[in-house]
Amino acid sequence: SFAVLLEAVEAMGPDSLGGADPLHVALRAWATVHGLATLWHDGLISVFTDEDLPALAAAIFEVGTAAGPDPA
């Protein structure tokens, strides 16, 4: 559940989050994973194979974290 994810993010400590709010980090992760899973399940990214999914997920998270800390 989201509470478990938030607890794990909070346990990382502020230094690991680069000053970002743990709630925002957890929400970004939750929304990203949910969005990817929904697109995959609905066949909207069928250009990728099942074997591509781990690399695709990693690339999405690299781009998301490259954006830096949240603006709040």
Side-chain angles (χ1 to χ4, degrees):
S1 77
F2 184 77
V4 173
L5 175 61
L6 180 57
E7 186 176 305
V9 170
E10 289 173 336
M12 293 171 59
D15 292 339
S16 297
L17 302 178
D21 182 325
L23 179 61
H24 296 170
V25 172
L27 185 56
R28 181 186 300 177
W30 186 270
T32 301
V33 170
H34 185 268
L36 179 59
T38 300
L39 291 170
W40 188 262
H41 180 268
D42 291 350
L44 298 174
I45 52 174
S46 59
V47 65
F48 299 102
T49 67
D50 289 348
E51 291 78 29
D52 294 329
L53 191 55
L56 180 60
I60 289 169
F61 275 99
E62 283 180 28
V63 169
T65 56
D70 63 313

